[in-house]
């Protein structure tokens, strides 16, 4: 989606009041700034900012300070009245960054970049999961599930690779998205871009609206630390900034709720919070001042758990999820592939007898299923033992495997 630079104040969709406040905050931060620097900081044309500076001068909030040298740009500084105004603004809103985009523009942008308009095909899915060993049945189930735009539940024994699988979903989409640095809900600024979840892509188009950053589709992953207030707009009294809910950060990407059922609140509370967003594909939020607004709920929503789904959710909610994928113990040929992949990764040498010992003696003897975590973790411990014992480079044998198994398994 092409996002041209706004040429006028009206094209920004923002009020004079909001931009005036932001100008005062930037000048306060640096002491004095020239027009080009202010334009860079707000990511707007100088022709939009200059009239606003003149209005601030008229209100006796800023003044011109020249160095006296002809070749120096005119710099703007705060008057005593401007300093007081900027301090009052900073006490209420600590945001200091590019100019935001209006909420309506953000909503249109999210809908235009919806994953639902981009059908997932087999080859991109196989490529995204290229570093995993998965069977054909899983691919044939996962593809339609992701295409459906419906929430997805992945469950199974701990160690079956649920989180490992989910963390690769956003790799399916090669194209990037545009994301605003911040949005304006009336005159309240809410930062959106978060480098923890949004990875920048190179974009050298100087004609693009600088208030947006080009990035990969986000992957927002949260587990047992999830709190319900993380799904609402929050005001941090220390930074004096608003923070968006996690689902807003995940828009146009993947939102993974891992370890479902391990949070400090019941799964029912989470499900009740999201019944409307999941059905209407929009979420209703509010600011601490009581202002209500809504945003698109456009993301692949994935729940992952190693608990029995029927113990954490009622039948009515499980029906709403649509797709449930059960990851179980794998057949021996797939298990052997993972074994071989990890031998190569850890630079270990082992013959077929070592593999048979792992399967026939260690797994069968303990009743533990063939799941993906065992080759990775057991072989990693075996490598550590061999390096410590000065036996690196030797073939891996039963003795080391048994020791590694005992160190790894509780019983």
């Amino acid at each position: 989606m092409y996002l041209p630079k706004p040429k006028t104040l009206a094209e920004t969709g923002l009020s004079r009041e909001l931009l005036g406040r932001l100008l005062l905050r930037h000048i306060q931060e640096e002491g004095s700034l020239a027009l080009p620097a202010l334009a860079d900081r707000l990511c707007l044309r100088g022709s939009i900012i200059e009239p606003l500076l003149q209005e601030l001068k008229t209100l006796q909030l800023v003044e011109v300070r020249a160095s006296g040298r002809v070749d120096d740009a005119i710099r703007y500084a705060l008057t005593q009245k401007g300093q007081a105004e900027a301090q009052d603004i900073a006490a209420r809103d600590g945001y200091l960054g590019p100019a935001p985009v209006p909420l309506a523009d953000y909503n249109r942008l999210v809908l235009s970049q919806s994953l639902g308009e981009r059908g997932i095909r087999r080859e991109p899915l196989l490529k995204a999961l290229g570093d995993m060993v998965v069977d054909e049945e899983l691919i044939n189930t996962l593809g339609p599930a992701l295409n459906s735009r419906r929430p997805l539940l992945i469950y199974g024994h701990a160690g079956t690779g649920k989180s490992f699988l989910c963390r690769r979903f956003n790799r399916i989409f090669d194209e990037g998205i545009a994301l605003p640095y911040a949005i304006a809900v009336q005159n309240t600024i809410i930062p959106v871009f978060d480098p923890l979840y949004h990875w920048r892509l190179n974009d050298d188009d100087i004609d693009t609206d600088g208030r947006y950053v080009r990035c990969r589709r986000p992957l927002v992953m949260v587990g047992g630390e999830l709190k319900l207030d993380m799904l609402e707009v929050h005001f941090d009294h220390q930074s004096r900034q608003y923070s968006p809910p996690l689902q807003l950060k995940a828009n146009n990407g993947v939102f993974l709720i891992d370890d479902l059922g391990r949070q400090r609140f019941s799964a029912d509370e989470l499900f009740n919070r999201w019944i409307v967003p999941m059905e209407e594909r929009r979420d209703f939020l509010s600011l601490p001042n009581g202002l209500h607004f809504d945003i698109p709920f456009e993301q692949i929503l994935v729940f992952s758990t190693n608990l029995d789904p029927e113990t954490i959710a009622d039948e009515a909610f499980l029906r709403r999820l649509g797709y449930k994928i059960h990851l179980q113990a794998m057949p021996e040929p797939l298990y052997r592939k993972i074994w071989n992949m990890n031998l190569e990764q850890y630079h270990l040498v082992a013959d077929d007898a070592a593999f048979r010992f792992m399967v026939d003696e260690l797994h069968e003897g303990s009743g533990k299923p063939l799941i993906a975590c065992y080759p990775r973790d057991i072989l990693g411990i075996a490598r550590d033992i061999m390096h410590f014992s000065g036996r690196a480079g030797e073939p891996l044998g039963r003795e080391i495997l048994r020791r590694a198994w005992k160190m790894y398994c509780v019983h």
Side-chain angles (χ1 to χ4, degrees):
M1 182 178 181
Y2 176 56
L3 300 164
K5 281 186 177 181
K7 296 179 181 178
T8 65
L9 176 62
E11 289 182 3
T12 68
L14 303 173
S15 68
R16 279 182 164 79
E17 177 189 352
L18 185 149
L19 287 177
R21 282 169 23 202
L22 203 48
L23 281 169
L24 291 177
R25 287 283 290 117
H26 278 286
I27 297 172
Q28 178 195 38
E29 182 73 8
E30 290 298 321
S32 65
L33 284 168
L35 177 60
L38 282 167
D40 287 342
R41 282 169 168 260
L42 270 69
C43 298
L44 293 173
R45 296 177 188 268
S47 58
I48 295 174
I49 293 175
E50 189 169 21
L52 296 172
L53 288 170
Q54 296 306 317
E55 290 182 18
L56 294 174
K57 279 181 61 181
T58 301
L59 295 171
Q60 299 181 345
L61 296 173
V62 302
E63 61 186 6
V64 174
R65 289 185 183 171
S67 66
R69 291 182 292 187
V70 178
D71 58 342
D72 276 2
I74 293 175
R75 299 176 71 86
Y76 295 87
L78 300 182
T79 62
Q80 187 173 357
K81 180 181 177 182
Q83 286 283 1
E85 180 70 15
Q87 288 174 7
D88 182 60
I89 293 168
R92 291 181 281 111
D93 185 353
Y95 177 77
L96 191 67
V101 304
L103 174 65
D105 288 1
Y106 168 75
N107 287 352
R108 283 192 294 270
L109 177 66
V110 171
L111 293 175
S112 74
Q113 300 176 148
S114 169
L115 291 165
E117 302 301 321
R118 297 157 173 80
I120 297 170
R121 297 294 180 262
R122 176 176 296 272
E123 288 308 314
L125 179 57
L126 290 173
K127 181 180 178 182
L129 305 181
D131 59 345
M132 292 188 65
V133 175
V134 293
D135 61 20
E136 191 68 14
E137 182 181 354
L138 178 59
I139 294 295
N140 290 335
T141 305
L142 197 55
L146 295 174
N147 266 335
S148 73
R149 302 174 68 199
R150 300 182 66 182
L152 169 65
L153 173 66
I154 298 180
Y155 66 102
H157 193 284
T160 50
K162 299 180 297 298
S163 301
F164 197 72
L165 171 68
C166 295
R167 285 197 294 265
R168 279 143 185 78
F169 288 165
N170 68 331
R171 297 181 181 182
I172 300 169
F173 308 95
D174 291 331
E175 85 284 5
I177 61 168
L179 185 81
Y181 285 100
I183 59 175
V185 181
Q186 293 188 7
N187 280 338
T188 298
I189 300 176
I190 303 176
V192 174
F193 175 75
D194 185 339
L196 184 63
Y197 303 116
H198 303 124
W199 299 273
R200 289 175 180 267
L201 297 174
N202 292 329
D203 189 354
D204 299 326
D205 188 351
I206 61 174
D207 293 325
T208 299
D209 191 340
R211 295 177 295 169
Y212 297 88
V213 58
R214 193 105 187 134
C215 54
R216 287 172 50 191
R217 291 187 179 272
L219 169 64
V220 175
M221 180 176 174
V222 65
E225 75 277 11
L226 176 65
K227 300 178 182 178
L228 284 175
D229 64 1
M230 296 165 71
L231 306 178
E232 309 296 339
V233 179
H234 176 69
F235 183 75
D236 186 322
H237 292 279
Q238 184 172 357
S239 67
R240 303 179 308 282
Q241 288 195 51
Y242 291 90
S243 59
L246 292 174
Q247 64 270 27
L248 190 152
K249 295 181 181 182
N251 262 337
N252 293 141
V254 179
F255 190 6
L256 169 61
I257 310 295
D258 204 9
D259 292 327
L260 182 65
R262 305 289 187 187
Q263 289 75 26
R264 294 185 179 180
F265 52 87
S266 70
D268 282 343
E269 292 179 84
L270 177 63
F271 296 152
N272 290 334
R273 167 65 180 82
W274 273 349
I275 284 177
V276 173
M278 287 192 301
E279 292 187 349
E280 298 190 11
R281 304 206 68 80
R282 60 176 178 153
D283 193 19
F284 297 89
L285 302 170
S286 61
L287 297 176
N289 63 11
L291 179 63
H292 297 277
F293 64 100
D294 62 271
I295 60 168
F297 194 78
E298 288 291 338
Q299 55 214 249
I300 296 176
L301 179 60
V302 184
F303 298 101
S304 171
T305 184
N306 56 20
L307 303 176
D308 181 351
E310 293 184 345
T311 66
I312 57 176
D314 59 30
E315 185 180 350
F317 188 83
L318 291 177
R319 283 200 307 270
R320 284 189 171 92
L321 294 181
Y323 284 85
K324 278 79 70 175
I325 297 178
H326 188 194
L327 296 189
Q328 306 179 63
M330 58 182 57
E332 187 179 303
L334 288 184
Y335 188 84
R336 183 187 286 271
K337 284 186 178 181
I338 296 176
W339 167 272
N340 291 333
M341 285 175 58
N342 282 279
L343 284 176
E344 182 177 350
Q345 179 181 342
Y346 292 128
H347 306 291
L348 295 174
V349 178
D351 57 18
D352 186 66
F355 177 76
R356 293 262 45 101
F357 177 74
M358 179 82 167
V359 173
D360 300 335
E361 298 291 333
L362 298 179
H363 275 286
E364 289 193 14
S366 63
K368 295 190 181 297
L370 301 181
I371 55 179
C373 66
Y374 283 104
R376 178 196 65 202
D377 296 338
I378 297 296
L379 291 177
I381 294 172
R383 177 203 57 182
D384 297 337
I385 294 172
M386 294 175 75
H387 275 273
F388 179 74
S389 305
R391 299 172 63 181
E394 294 183 11
L396 177 61
R398 294 186 175 196
E399 173 203 350
I400 299 294
L401 276 175
R402 191 184 297 278
R403 287 175 59 190
W405 183 274
K406 287 183 177 180
M407 290 180 181
Y408 182 68
C409 298
V410 176
H411 53 73

